[in-house]
Amino acid sequence: MVDEMPAFPGSVNKILQMTSSIDCAPKDLVQVIEHDPVMMAKILKLVNSAYFGLSREITSIKHGVVFVGLNTIKNLAISIATMGMLSKTGPAGLDMNRFLLHSLGTATVAKLLGKRLGVASDRATDYFVGGLLHDIGKVVFAQFMPQEMARALKRVEVEKVSLPIAEMIEIGADHAQLGGMLVEKWQLPHTLVTCIKEHHSQEQNGNTNKVLDCVVAANIMIKQMGFGCAGNLVEDRLPGHVSARFGMELAELRESMGNLDEELEKANAFICI
Amino acid sequence: MLKFTFRGVRGSIASPGPETVIYGGNTTCIEVRAGSELIILDAGTGIFPLSQTLAPEFPLTCHIFISHTHWDHIQGLPFFIPMFVAGNRVKIYGGQDPVTGKGVQEALSRQLEYAFFPIREAELSAELEYISLSENQVVNIGDAQVTSVLMNHPAINYGYKVSCGGRSLFFTGDHEWPYNIYEPDDDDYQLFEDHIAQKRKSIIDAVAGVDVLIIDTAYTDDEYPAKKGWGHGSFSSSIAMARDAGVKHCFFTHHEPTRGDKGLEKAFQAAMDKHPSQPGDPKFHLARESFTFEL
Ligand SMILES: [Zn+2]
Ligand SMILES: [Zn+2]
């Protein structure tokens, strides 16, 4: 059923427009795909699937472009784009523009945090992808269980509970579980699966996963900054092991990142069409 | 025993005529004899002259490996005579289309639709079987092994390594080495370079040490810049690959349809002059229709 899930309006429009010209610059196309959680997840799913049977994990779109070819990635993107697009606010009441902004913001900050931990530039993409996809489960709920998701969002507003708790009450699973299960089934890279599954865990659960810790911190930071919104209004604190990783608490970490406007403006530029 | 005969060496479109009588005008098809097995690499128009020689072997079993489903590699398939004769077994192998999810049988059944061909797939008398391949899959055929290697082309294109009795050959199908889509001063340039190096290594490792490399060499170095991204190699890129993989013989194929015999030999000579022979170099050859090579 998720196979039929359309992508975000901005990227769908851009892909269709760009690919109608034979001179479409590959790097522009890659950039659009990299900024849409649905496109990203679906293409990573395909290139990591048994169709190709590649012996290595494909962890990013660029990686996919080199291993399965530019034209294949391009045509996969076109086939997703022609499926239509997510509505701006579906019956679940999740504002897709603000959701995308939250995902892109988290991706951007997670990558910056990764760099700060001294991660090599060839792995920094994992942090971006982790941030971009961490809430993919919410899009699936909103698309396929809109009534239940609407009730969960309402509960967050009225009862001031966290979204995962509200989802558990209304749906019986939270978006982290669902998203994690999906990408695991899709054979997406292991680090990414953990990232999605565990991004609300307060404990380490035996995961010493740098990407996860950065996504957790980025997610909380972006929420606190009010950059976009993905339905969860409760303000979290950094889990103990995450603040231990950075050697500081949330406020200090945010402070030490300096001005994020310029970086986040790039994310903003991808919304609104 | 491993030997092969070129049945078609042209790229893109068949190009018969007085200018191509020496090297031939049929599109890609290579007949491989591995022990007692018949393995056919690609089904361009060259598969038709091959099929005319096969009657004495009926009833036969043969294995057709399709590198990819661009026309010049499949167009001869409906004219593969053994398919029309009961008692023959034809196995067709190839990749799946990741966009449509369809397997290699599409290559044949769509060509056999009413509007394109008078005989329907259901009317073929031979026993047909389709096998979809993924990357690095090993198919055992008698004493031979065929291994698929994902190359780089604007379609899913598998190169095939055929090994038998300690001898081996590798056919690239259509292939262009991936190039960097970023400019040197872009942030992602180096990252992309690293991916390219990784991909190159994975292909070279798969090809390393084969006796014969048969490689897509559509363009001269002068022509290549204008055709970048079209999915084909050049003389220089082919020579580099043959050297890196340490092969003994390298056959340039997928000749440009507009390049006549004289032009082809001129282009070959220019490439040899540009890359003077080094110790341990492979022997370089132009692929020529009907030419047989025993390994
Ligand atoms: Zn071709
Ligand atoms: Zn081709």
Side-chain angles (χ1 to χ4, degrees):
Chain A
M1 101 183 152
V2 180
D3 287 340
E4 277 124 55
M5 188 160 73
F8 285 80
S11 36
V12 166
N13 286 330
K14 278 189 204 127
I15 296 277
L16 293 178
Q17 184 202 343
M18 288 166 87
T19 55
S20 64
S21 155
I22 196 159
D23 302 320
C24 160
K27 64 179 179 182
D28 296 341
L29 189 81
V30 167
Q31 196 185 31
V32 173
I33 300 170
E34 279 174 340
H35 285 76
D36 184 313
V38 176
M39 290 246 178
M40 171 79 89
K42 287 184 147 192
I43 291 179
L44 286 184
K45 174 195 171 199
L46 226 121
V47 295
N48 283 294
S49 74
Y51 273 119
F52 295 104
L54 299 182
S55 54
R56 69 187 70 234
E57 284 186 335
I58 301 296
T59 55
S60 73
I61 299 300
K62 293 182 187 75
H63 202 196
V65 164
V66 173
F67 273 81
V68 310
L70 178 63
N71 201 43
T72 298
I73 300 292
K74 175 178 166 182
N75 279 280
L76 287 173
I78 294 172
S79 74
I80 296 168
T82 49
M83 290 166 64
M85 54 181 85
L86 290 167
S87 55
K88 268 197 176 141
T89 312
L94 187 65
D95 181 325
M96 285 301 172
N97 266 346
R98 296 183 72 204
F99 172 87
L100 187 53
L101 210 51
H102 168 74
S103 300
L104 287 170
T106 307
T108 304
V109 172
K111 187 173 166 182
L112 291 172
L113 287 171
K115 282 186 175 161
R116 174 197 175 103
L117 291 178
V119 169
S121 64
D122 65 331
R123 295 263 60 105
T125 314
D126 297 353
Y127 292 71
F128 188 89
V129 177
L132 187 72
L133 296 188
H134 76 282
D135 272 341
I136 190 83
K138 288 183 194 171
V139 191
V140 179
F141 279 154
Q143 189 73 1
F144 298 104
M145 308 181 87
Q147 271 85 39
E148 292 87 338
M149 188 60 172
R151 286 202 298 272
L153 290 168
K154 189 91 200 149
R155 216 175 256 276
V156 169
E157 222 181 287
V158 178
E159 300 172 21
K160 308 288 178 227
V161 293
S162 78
L163 182 61
I165 288 174
E167 288 166 339
M168 283 304 287
I169 296 168
E170 296 296 343
I171 304 172
D174 68 36
H175 65 272
Q177 288 174 318
L178 174 80
M181 226 173 64
L182 271 179
V183 294
E184 192 162 34
K185 190 170 148 246
W186 292 355
Q187 293 174 291
L188 261 51
H190 181 73
T191 324
L192 189 56
V193 174
T194 311
C195 229
I196 294 170
K197 226 185 226 174
E198 305 288 346
H199 75 270
H200 284 297
S201 299
Q202 288 300 309
E203 275 96 53
Q204 222 167 340
N205 293 342
N207 292 305
T208 45
N209 183 329
K210 258 193 210 173
V211 186
L212 172 61
D213 291 353
C214 288
V215 169
V216 167
N219 181 30
I220 295 170
M221 209 182 288
I222 278 294
K223 246 185 269 185
Q224 213 189 39
M225 291 168 68
F227 191 79
C229 177
N232 198 359
L233 305 173
V234 170
E235 280 199 5
D236 310 74
R237 296 183 20 230
L238 288 187
H241 65 279
V242 177
S243 48
R245 164 90 70 192
F246 295 101
M248 55 187 83
E249 288 303 325
L250 183 61
E252 199 185 337
L253 185 61
R254 166 71 196 89
E255 190 63 40
S256 69
M257 300 284 293
N259 193 335
L260 294 171
D261 290 354
E262 197 188 324
E263 289 291 334
L264 291 178
E265 187 42 48
K266 289 183 203 159
N268 222 344
F270 263 86
I271 318 294
C272 350
I273 278 267
Chain B
M1 188 275 285
L2 187 61
K3 71 174 183 180
F4 64 89
T5 304
F6 289 112
R7 295 296 182 172
V9 297
R10 269 314 134 176
S12 309
I13 190 161
S15 43
E19 302 301 318
T20 59
V21 284
I22 298 176
Y23 289 92
N26 280 304
T27 60
T28 303
C29 178
I30 306 164
E31 169 189 0
V32 180
R33 299 286 178 166
S36 56
E37 305 293 339
L38 170 56
I39 295 167
I40 300 168
L41 302 175
D42 275 342
T45 61
I47 204 172
F48 180 61
L50 163 63
S51 72
Q52 289 172 300
T53 69
L54 295 176
E57 298 177 50
F58 289 175
L60 66 68
T61 298
C62 67
H63 305 264
I64 304 177
F65 285 81
I66 303 290
S67 66
H68 67 302
T69 53
H70 284 162
W71 279 118
D72 50 325
H73 299 258
I74 59 166
Q75 201 167 12
L77 212 45
F79 294 88
F80 187 56
I81 296 161
M83 290 196 304
F84 299 99
V85 181
N88 292 328
R89 289 183 65 198
V90 180
K91 292 185 161 194
I92 303 177
Y93 305 75
Q96 278 170 284
D97 178 341
V99 177
T100 62
K102 299 268 172 65
V104 67
Q105 63 267 35
E106 281 285 289
L108 182 60
S109 51
R110 290 196 36 201
Q111 288 189 80
L112 298 187
E113 279 171 15
Y114 164 75
F116 304 119
F117 206 73
I119 300 169
R120 293 178 306 126
E121 195 187 0
E123 292 165 346
L124 299 175
S125 309
E127 190 185 320
L128 286 178
E129 194 182 333
Y130 303 99
I131 297 106
S132 287
L133 299 176
S134 55
E135 159 79 337
N136 219 341
Q137 191 168 335
V138 181
V139 180
N140 288 299
I141 298 166
D143 295 332
Q145 286 91 43
V146 182
T147 310
S148 54
V149 178
L150 186 59
M151 308 299 284
N152 185 59
H153 194 57
I156 295 306
N157 177 100
Y158 285 114
Y160 293 112
K161 179 178 173 178
V162 185
S163 316
C164 186
R167 307 279 171 193
S168 56
L169 67 85
F170 186 86
F171 166 57
T172 60
D174 288 359
H175 175 64
E176 173 182 16
W177 287 104
Y179 53 86
N180 206 316
I181 62 173
Y182 296 92
E183 302 300 324
D185 50 352
D186 286 343
D187 282 349
D188 294 317
Y189 180 83
Q190 194 49 49
L191 174 64
F192 209 85
E193 281 294 289
D194 296 345
H195 290 328
I196 290 173
Q198 199 184 46
K199 170 83 174 175
R200 182 173 180 97
K201 185 176 182 304
S202 78
I203 293 178
I204 295 290
D205 285 351
V207 180
V210 297
D211 299 292
V212 170
L213 171 66
I214 302 166
I215 184 169
D216 169 1
T217 311
Y219 307 128
T220 64
D221 292 2
D222 289 342
E223 290 161 353
Y224 177 72
K227 316 278 168 119
K228 198 173 161 180
W230 292 21
H232 301 289
S234 66
F235 280 96
S236 281
S237 68
S238 293
I239 290 168
M241 178 174 176
R243 283 176 171 166
D244 286 357
V247 308
K248 297 194 181 76
H249 293 271
C250 174
F251 288 85
F252 303 122
T253 191
H254 208 275
H255 306 316
E256 263 293 278
T258 54
R259 210 182 320 283
D261 295 326
K262 281 204 194 80
L264 200 52
E265 281 171 355
K266 231 172 91 186
F268 176 79
Q269 197 47 53
M272 293 298 103
D273 293 346
K274 186 171 173 184
H275 301 275
S277 180
Q278 298 172 0
D281 248 7
K283 275 205 163 62
F284 293 103
H285 319 260
L286 284 170
R288 176 162 55 84
E289 208 171 299
S290 299
F291 174 81
T292 300
F293 189 87
E294 184 159 352
L295 283 78

